[in-house]
Structure formats: structure tokens, C-alpha cells
Amino acid sequence: MVNEIKTIGVLTSGGDAPGMNAALRAVVRTGLHYGKKVIGIYNGYKGLLENDMKELTYRDVSGIINRGGTVLKTARCKEFLTPAGVQKAADNARAAGIDALVVLGGDGSFRGALALSQHGFPVVGIPCTIDNDIGCSDYTIGFDTALNTACDAIDKIRDTCSSHDRCSVVEVMGRNAGYLAINVAVATGAEVCLLPEKKFDLTDIMDKIKETTEKGKTHFIVVVAEGIGGIEFIAKTIEKQTGIATRPSNLGYIQRGGSPTVKDRVVASKMGLKAVSLLLEGKTNRVVIYKDTNIVDLDIVEALSLQKDFDNELVDVAEILTY
Ligand code: ADP
């Protein structure tokens, strides 16, 4: 049991994700609802090192539930990667009167939170990343919005592909994980999806394009996960070997922005409330997770040791339904 928490710090760290603002709003308003003081730290761990922080009121988080990005800003901070940096951050947080910190971010940000907890500073993490690549949680805030953005973009690319009888090779984000790619591939009916989790051979792609051409297909979408990359080379190879005009398109950062979907706003609101509730119960060094449609929590050390299974069923769906 930790001492009673009177002041909660909150920061957003690493890659931004739509729904971070909704989670921030939930943290701030839950804290205030229970009579706690909430301090927002700007630019992630960098702000802790630079004492860039301010007390947040109900009005500071008005009108942000529908906004992408993060009003607290985010940053990647090298100095924080050192034990001296972590110690300084913990000292600064204590000096500012912060009793515990809520960290909104991805896997890297959670490792930072773990480091703070190992320096005796209490933390709770909320998983926010469009990549959905955090092992302990079935779902991460921002994933649904990114999926819908990528799906909408590929639908548009498909329109022009079908008009010109072309092939488009589209790179979607996800860092080293293919969760975004496989879900977008299924949702857009992409003929081929290249994933870091599955071995592939470029000749199989040519064979599929040729086979489906014989069945009457005239245009093709090849989804390539960021972890595979090389879309220019893949497009050139397809064009050379099949004779079909092929264009590479990288969807890039449009996938990280935009107004969060209903799902992301609701999950973020629940997770923000849960994070503060944990602190009020004296439960620290936890990560809020989404498990079997429930919002629950897990010890941060255990959370960071978990790996996520890849959804092979979706790989079958993507393959079988696209002939
Ligand atoms: P994300 O949270 O989106 O995965 P990063 O991996 O870039 O993003 O991590 C965000 C920040 O978290 C880093 O810039 C660094 O300050 C901190 N961080 C990442 N890994 C560690 C670690 N092993 N120890 C301490 N801090 C870390």
C-alpha cells in the first residue's frame, strides 16, 4: 500500500495516437472528481526532465475528446534512457509534489515507466499506439482510428486502380508488427498482404496476380506492412513480371492523425478512469489493459514480458477471400 495519493501527474510519450486526448481528459476529470490535483507534463519524459508542467483544470481538457494528436505534446527523450535521467525525472516529479504518474504511450513509454517505478516512483500505464503491438493488451488506443483511416485511403486508391486497370502497392504503418496491415488488408479486400509475421516469396505474389487475372481480375491491391517496406522495389518487380502497371503508395502519417473513432474515445475514457481508480485504491506500477473486451490491469513487469499471438485466422481470411 502506498501513501495516499493527492497529486497525479500525467504525460503522453512516444508516437502520438488518436484517443490520447480522450484518455487525458478522462484521467484529469476522474482525478478532479475524487478531489485530487492533476498536473500535466508536456513533451513526455522530456518535460519531466525540464520541469515543463502545469496543473490542469476541468476546462483545460474541454473540447479535446474529438481531437487527434495530444494537447500535452509528445517527444522521444534520449536523456531519459540513462539511469541518471530516470533519477532526475523522479526527483523533479517529487519536487513538483507529484505522488504518482499516469503514462499514456506505447511499449517504449512503458519501459520508461518501469524504469521510474524501479527508482521508487509509482506509475500506471495506459496503452496508446496505432500499432496495437503491446503484448499484454488485446487492444491499444488509436488502433481503430488508424484502421479506419487506412481503410478509407485504400478504398480511394482502389477506385483509381480499377479505373486504370492497375496494381497499387500500399505501405501501411505498424512498426515491426503486422496487426494494422492484416486488418486493413481484410477490410479492403487486398489481393496480397505482406507481413513481418509471415514468410513470403515474391514469386507467390506474381502467381496469385496471374491466376486471378485469368479469373477476370483487372486491378490489384498489395498491402505491405511497414516492417517489410521496399514498396518501390516490390511495385517495379510486379510490373516487370506481370506487365500490369503498378504504383507504390506510402500512406504515412495520415494514419496517425485525425479525429478518434467512437471505439477509441470510449476505450480511452474507460482506461483513463481505470488508471486513476487504481491509484486511488493504492495499486501502483500497473498497466491498464484490454482483455477479452474487459478493461483490467496487470503488474507492469509482467505486462512488459508478454508477447501477443498473431491472428493467423485473419491471414487465412485475407488469402481465401481474394481470388
Ligand atoms: P512508444 O512509447 O510509442 O513505443 P518509444 O519507443 O519511442 O515510443 O519510447 C518513448 C520514450 O520512452 C523514449 O523516447 C524514452 O524516453 C522512453 N523509453 C523507451 N524505452 C526506454 C527504456 N528501456 N528505459 C527508459 N526509458 C525508455
Side-chain angles (χ1 to χ4, degrees):
M1 198 59 183
V2 290
N3 294 331
E4 194 205 339
I5 284 166
K6 296 195 177 93
T7 302
I8 297 167
V10 57
L11 58 78
T12 52
S13 167
D16 66 321
M20 272 182 161
N21 281 327
L24 169 68
R25 171 181 175 270
V27 168
V28 172
R29 291 198 173 163
T30 307
L32 295 176
H33 176 80
Y34 289 107
K36 307 297 168 187
K37 189 167 155 181
V38 184
I39 295 182
I41 296 134
Y42 292 92
N43 293 306
Y45 296 118
K46 187 166 173 271
L48 260 190
L49 292 172
E50 295 173 356
N51 283 308
D52 189 4
M53 49 185 96
K54 97 167 207 194
E55 186 175 344
L56 298 174
T57 66
Y58 279 97
R59 294 291 71 78
D60 286 319
V61 290
S62 289
I64 66 168
I65 194 168
N66 56 327
R67 285 173 59 192
T70 159
V71 295
L72 280 184
K73 311 268 182 171
T74 184
R76 293 197 159 95
C77 177
K78 282 207 177 127
E79 187 187 346
F80 187 72
L81 289 170
T82 63
V86 176
Q87 187 61 54
K88 184 175 166 191
D91 291 345
N92 286 351
R94 279 192 200 100
I98 298 170
D99 301 310
L101 182 69
V102 179
V103 172
L104 280 59
D107 202 58
S109 302
F110 284 0
R111 287 185 197 283
L114 172 65
L116 272 175
S117 74
Q118 288 164 341
H119 280 73
F121 199 85
V123 295
V124 171
I126 298 180
C128 299
T129 162
I130 64 161
D131 304 333
N132 201 24
D133 62 348
I134 296 185
C136 59
S137 188
D138 294 347
Y139 187 78
T140 59
I141 294 165
F143 184 56
D144 188 58
T145 306
L147 276 180
N148 280 285
T149 302
C151 183
D152 181 55
I154 294 177
D155 284 347
K156 288 172 176 148
I157 289 173
R158 171 90 74 184
D159 286 345
T160 183
C161 266
S162 73
S163 304
H164 288 269
D165 288 341
R166 278 183 191 155
C167 172
S168 269
V169 178
V170 186
E171 180 175 320
V172 303
M173 288 181 108
R175 289 218 276 199
N176 298 320
Y179 306 110
L180 200 50
I182 189 62
N183 280 278
V184 168
V186 169
T188 57
E191 280 68 27
V192 177
C193 181
L194 304 184
L195 301 163
E197 292 83 356
K198 290 274 149 200
K199 278 204 173 121
F200 65 90
D201 191 333
L202 281 185
T203 56
D204 297 339
I205 302 170
M206 309 311 154
D207 290 346
K208 182 159 185 188
I209 290 175
K210 282 174 196 157
E211 200 181 328
T212 51
T213 301
E214 280 159 21
K215 288 187 172 153
K217 282 210 178 199
T218 57
H219 60 276
F220 306 86
I221 298 287
V222 175
V223 167
V224 177
E226 181 182 357
I228 299 290
I231 54 172
E232 284 83 9
F233 172 77
I234 295 168
K236 268 193 194 130
T237 309
I238 292 173
E239 184 161 302
K240 203 164 146 204
Q241 296 198 13
T242 65
I244 297 165
T246 303
R247 303 281 185 269
S249 296
N250 190 345
L251 298 188
Y253 285 125
I254 64 161
Q255 297 160 98
R256 285 251 290 261
S259 182
T261 59
V262 169
K263 175 165 178 166
D264 279 326
R265 297 182 200 193
V266 172
V267 173
S269 300
K270 284 176 150 182
M271 284 189 165
L273 190 144
K274 177 77 177 176
V276 174
S277 303
L278 288 171
L279 291 176
L280 300 184
E281 288 163 24
K283 288 172 86 181
T284 58
N285 306 335
R286 313 288 295 174
V287 172
V288 178
I289 61 166
Y290 193 96
K291 204 82 207 147
D292 305 326
T293 73
N294 296 313
I295 309 288
V296 291
D297 59 287
L298 204 60
D299 173 74
I300 191 165
V301 176
E302 189 187 348
L304 281 169
S305 72
L306 297 177
Q307 301 264 324
K308 194 181 271 187
D309 290 335
F310 198 72
D311 190 347
N312 288 312
E313 207 181 314
L314 268 186
V315 177
D316 292 341
V317 172
E319 177 59 19
I320 292 168
L321 302 189
T322 49
Y323 277 86

